[in-house]
Amino acid sequence: MAIVEEQIPEVTMLTHPTPVTAQMEGLRVKLPYDLYADDVRSLDVTGGVTVGDIADVLPSRMRNYILIRIKPFSETRILV
Amino acid sequence: MTTLVPVTYKGGVYRHDEIMDLIDDLGGYIVQKHVMAQDVVLQSFVPRDDIDLIRTVVKPLAGDVIEAPLVGTEIAVVSPSLEIHHLPHTACDIAEYLRRSGAKTNMIGLARGFGKRIANLNDEERDVINEHDLAVYVLGNFEECIEHKFPALRRGIQVPIVVTGAPDRETLARIVDPPVEGYVGGVGRIMHRFKRPEELAKLDELGTRSPAPWTPGGTPLHGTRSPSSRPA
């Protein structure tokens, strides 16, 4: 969540009460999917590992939001 | 090993950055920060042993630290419709009460949830509910109606479900097939906001019936907040 808020400044300009919403399996980012999905996927988590490597970035059925679902360790074999 | 517990901090904007630094320094996490005018609400995980320390630090700032077992979850409160026929008071009160225990709730009023025989769930509603961590179905008074209608309203839902309705808990458990994760009886069509003690007790029961992910078995909400924080 901190990475999204730090590296995509548009998130801080949104007027939604919770522009980035925490869920148990991931996050909901209230930015348009078409414009920002690739930016979110390429966010650097640490040491060259990107969000796209450790999570699925999906279009949400709720408006045009972005849904991030964290992949399990057994699938990614990446420990951050 | 340090156990992290989910808590909500409520206080003013003044010096709230010190509280955030304190939680970071103690090894906790801030999950969500809401700034609403002069108020700040921090939903966070803090080490169990340090809660008293945080309470001591926030006392001069008139802040409040409350245990909130549902921090970090997004919950769908599903009503057959948001029209007065399905009395939104109940749905609103449930949504608000779950927020107090740290959840982010979204209310979903179904487009075609009317009618025992014709009630339906469309694909958009199904997918939106499945994006949540939990769905709370706010149903009505009649056992017969819930029995016939609920299978249609839950079709394709893969997230855990809690059912509320006027029949008692045992009856709900009997008529809902296949079983769901939680039942809260005695919450039917109530024509006013929840304010009587027995109604508030039902909301507390709902908070404990919702599967709390971080504290196995859920933490009872009774006694975790002052009576003054309840709706008047």
Side-chain angles (χ1 to χ4, degrees):
Chain A
M1 183 184 281
I3 294 165
V4 174
E5 284 172 355
E6 279 170 20
Q7 299 187 33
I8 303 186
E10 287 88 337
V11 167
T12 56
M13 290 181 240
L14 293 173
T15 51
H16 297 285
T18 52
V20 183
T21 309
Q23 294 186 338
M24 282 167 64
E25 298 178 352
L27 291 176
R28 188 194 302 283
V29 184
K30 295 178 180 174
L31 285 169
Y33 178 83
D34 302 336
L35 299 176
Y36 289 94
D38 290 334
D39 293 351
V40 171
R41 276 192 202 100
S42 58
L43 288 178
D44 185 46
V45 180
T46 180
V49 177
T50 62
V51 169
D53 295 335
I54 57 166
D56 289 319
V57 179
L58 307 165
S60 168
R61 286 301 300 265
M62 194 184 287
R63 303 201 186 165
N64 190 18
Y65 298 154
I66 300 172
L67 193 67
I68 301 177
R69 291 272 185 218
I70 309 282
K71 292 181 197 165
F73 173 70
S74 57
E75 194 177 318
T76 59
R77 295 278 157 198
I78 297 171
L79 191 65
V80 178
Chain B
M1 202 180 85
T2 316
T3 313
L4 294 176
V5 289
V7 296
T8 299
Y9 165 77
K10 286 182 186 169
V13 175
Y14 175 62
R15 284 170 65 187
H16 82 276
D17 51 328
E18 290 177 22
I19 310 298
M20 291 175 66
D21 288 345
L22 177 67
I23 292 171
D24 271 344
D25 293 345
L26 293 171
Y29 301 95
I30 292 170
V31 176
Q32 202 106 54
K33 174 185 164 187
H34 301 282
V35 181
M36 288 160 287
Q38 303 293 309
D39 293 329
V40 170
V41 175
L42 298 176
Q43 291 175 345
S44 51
F45 289 94
V46 298
R48 185 184 294 278
D49 304 334
D50 296 321
I51 290 185
D52 288 335
L53 169 68
I54 299 174
R55 286 211 167 105
T56 315
V57 172
V58 303
K59 206 168 183 186
L61 302 176
D64 200 6
V65 177
I66 308 159
E67 264 190 66
L70 298 177
V71 162
T73 59
E74 194 176 26
I75 296 178
V77 178
V78 185
S79 173
S81 80
L82 287 182
E83 289 188 41
I84 197 70
H85 176 78
H86 287 117
L87 293 174
H89 311 75
T90 330
C92 287
D93 280 346
I94 287 172
E96 188 199 329
Y97 224 74
L98 291 173
R99 270 175 217 148
R100 289 180 187 206
S101 35
K104 163 86 176 69
T105 57
N106 294 319
M107 284 186 57
I108 298 173
L110 304 180
R112 296 183 184 278
F114 276 98
K116 184 173 72 176
R117 192 170 49 84
I118 57 169
N120 232 322
L121 186 75
N122 68 31
D123 70 321
E124 186 184 0
E125 291 159 351
R126 180 197 63 205
D127 291 347
V128 166
I129 295 172
N130 278 334
E131 284 178 10
H132 292 77
D133 296 317
L134 172 79
V136 178
Y137 278 79
V138 185
L139 301 176
N141 276 5
F142 302 112
E143 182 184 328
E144 169 93 3
C145 201
I146 296 173
E147 190 176 1
H148 282 86
K149 200 168 175 172
F150 186 62
L153 299 186
R154 72 177 300 181
R155 196 168 293 140
I157 302 297
Q158 284 145 6
V159 294
I161 296 174
V162 175
V163 174
T164 74
D168 58 32
R169 190 165 180 271
E170 289 69 30
T171 310
L172 285 175
R174 181 169 49 77
I175 60 177
V176 172
D177 182 42
V180 294
E181 278 67 19
Y183 308 91
V184 179
V187 184
R189 295 181 58 169
I190 296 173
M191 301 196 51
H192 52 83
R193 300 290 306 273
F194 286 56
K195 47 192 165 188
R196 288 204 279 267
E198 62 271 20
E199 293 162 355
L200 296 173
K202 279 291 164 200
L203 291 176
D204 281 338
E205 189 184 333
L206 185 75
T208 53
R209 290 264 180 265
S210 308
W214 319 112
T215 49
T219 310
L221 297 176
H222 301 279
T224 53
R225 68 180 82 76
S226 59
S228 60
S229 66
R230 290 182 162 164

